[in-house]
Amino acid sequence: MTKTNAIKMFEDRLVRSVWDDEKEEWYFSVNDVVEILTDSTNVTDYIKKMRKRDEALSEGWGQIVTPLAVQTAGGKQKTNFANAKGLFRIIQSIPSKKSEPFKLWLAEVGAHRLEQMQDPELSIKQALQDYRRLGYSDNWINQRLKSIEIRKDLTDQWKEHHVSEGVQYAALTDIIYQTWAGKTAKEYKQFKGLKKENLRDNMTNEELVLNMLAELSATSITKAKNPQSLEENAQCAHEGGTVAAVARKELESKTGRSVVSPLNAREFFTRQIEQNDNNGFALPLENDEENK
């Protein structure tokens, strides 16, 4: 399964989701769904009792659910997921007034994803809406979306130059971060007080731009040098990071402060700090109805 982890929202409740590129369908966390439909304080116990009273469901449980590893507060753990068809069967065993609205929601999520595959622009529009809903400024959002494009170009180059996804991608990313920011991805997240949150979603505009410069430079250098080994790709990553490191040093010499900031999005939105320049996150104005 080629999968992409995501979080979906049903009535302001989180549902961990995984998109299977091969089967072109969503898989949803069974525990999350059961908790939403039942408001149970012990979901594991509820599922055990549900399977006990519905023998047919219990007998087919292995075909309905698929254990997938997902990120949790305690690290990656396997938990049961099910596709829409499997969830419809589980919902049959749950007496809940939310069942019908949830079924409609499942159908909408699946249809929306297929529409996005046919028209990628819809994915961009959805990302814009999601970031605005969280309180990010349009200026920051534009930078973030561009950073996604640049990152994709870089990973495409890595793939073409014999770099494996996963550990090797992470190793090259660490080289880029370490070179321009002086920290690995893990150290950077710790510096910002992050756990499972996305690091780039917690970067200021300055950090985003410098990281974009580093990754864009690494992409161009990789294309020019045509590396054939992980070591050669690592050298290209280092040289790309060096370009951004030089820019960072020059900027810091002019401003007298560090570009690499401990500020994260959660802290910023909590403090409700307004910034009038382009050096960090910017909340929408209170009278901006679109962003409320």
Side-chain angles (χ1 to χ4, degrees):
M1 177 188 291
T2 303
K3 55 185 183 297
T4 303
N5 294 326
I7 296 290
K8 296 296 179 183
M9 301 290 293
F10 172 76
E11 296 183 351
D12 295 326
R13 302 284 292 275
L14 301 179
V15 182
R16 287 170 293 177
S17 312
V18 174
W19 174 255
D20 185 336
D21 286 331
E22 297 174 5
K23 295 183 179 179
E24 295 188 351
E25 62 181 348
W26 282 108
Y27 283 74
F28 304 89
S29 167
V30 173
N31 279 24
D32 291 351
V33 172
V34 172
E35 182 178 1
I36 288 171
L37 295 181
T38 66
D39 292 319
S40 174
T41 57
N42 190 332
V43 176
T44 301
D45 186 58
Y46 186 95
I47 291 175
K48 287 181 180 178
K49 292 178 179 178
M50 177 180 66
R51 292 179 59 185
K52 187 174 182 179
R53 67 172 179 263
D54 188 337
E55 293 184 2
L57 174 65
S58 186
E59 289 177 2
W61 190 254
Q63 287 71 49
I64 293 173
V65 303
T66 302
L68 296 175
V70 293
Q71 190 68 39
T72 68
K76 276 201 170 184
Q77 296 180 3
K78 279 197 172 183
T79 186
N80 284 330
F81 280 71
N83 60 14
K85 181 179 178 181
L87 284 182
F88 285 145
R89 176 61 184 90
I90 292 172
I91 290 171
Q92 289 178 11
S93 296
I94 300 176
S96 171
K97 62 182 181 181
K98 298 180 183 178
S99 294
E100 289 307 314
F102 194 86
K103 289 178 183 178
L104 291 174
W105 177 82
L106 279 177
E108 289 173 358
V109 168
H112 187 56
R113 176 57 181 171
L114 292 176
E115 289 172 357
Q116 289 178 341
M117 291 174 64
Q118 296 297 321
D119 184 0
E121 185 177 343
L122 294 175
S123 297
I124 297 174
K125 290 180 179 179
Q126 184 63 54
L128 279 168
Q129 293 174 5
D130 291 342
Y131 278 125
R132 282 173 176 161
R133 176 174 53 80
L134 291 171
Y136 290 94
S137 71
D138 283 350
N139 183 47
W140 184 93
I141 294 170
N142 289 336
Q143 299 285 10
R144 182 67 179 98
L145 294 180
K146 188 63 179 178
S147 76
I148 293 172
E149 177 189 344
I150 290 172
R151 175 69 179 181
K152 176 66 165 52
D153 288 343
L154 176 58
T155 56
D156 284 347
Q157 283 300 309
W158 285 346
K159 187 177 297 183
E160 289 181 18
H161 291 87
H162 317 296
V163 179
S164 301
E165 292 187 44
V167 174
Q168 292 186 354
Y169 275 26
L172 296 182
T173 301
D174 272 345
I175 290 172
I176 292 174
Y177 281 140
Q178 182 75 53
T179 303
W180 83 259
K183 302 177 188 298
T184 64
K186 181 178 180 180
E187 292 168 344
Y188 211 156
K189 292 181 74 170
Q190 290 174 340
F191 181 64
K192 285 181 173 288
L194 306 176
K195 293 183 180 178
K196 59 183 179 180
E197 299 94 334
N198 185 291
L199 176 57
R200 292 178 181 84
D201 282 351
N202 287 273
M203 285 184 175
T204 65
N205 275 350
E206 287 178 343
E207 290 173 304
L208 266 180
V209 169
L210 285 175
N211 194 61
M212 288 162 60
L213 175 60
E215 294 192 329
L216 179 63
S217 300
T219 300
S220 298
I221 294 168
T222 301
K223 289 179 179 178
K225 294 195 171 183
N226 192 28
Q228 298 300 308
S229 67
L230 181 59
E231 291 74 16
E232 291 176 347
N233 276 283
Q235 181 60 34
C236 293
H238 175 73
E239 292 175 3
T242 300
V243 174
V246 172
R248 174 193 172 186
K249 184 177 179 180
E250 182 67 16
L251 178 59
E252 290 179 341
S253 71
K254 303 297 184 183
T255 62
R257 58 176 173 75
S258 176
V259 168
V260 178
S261 169
L263 186 66
N264 63 51
R266 181 184 65 255
E267 292 173 343
F268 183 84
F269 296 137
T270 299
R271 295 175 191 173
Q272 297 286 291
I273 298 174
E274 293 184 0
Q275 294 188 1
N276 296 321
D277 55 24
N278 293 326
N279 293 332
F281 303 108
L283 287 173
L285 298 176
E286 291 184 356
N287 62 356
D288 186 348
E289 293 296 328
E290 181 182 10
N291 289 330
K292 280 187 177 181

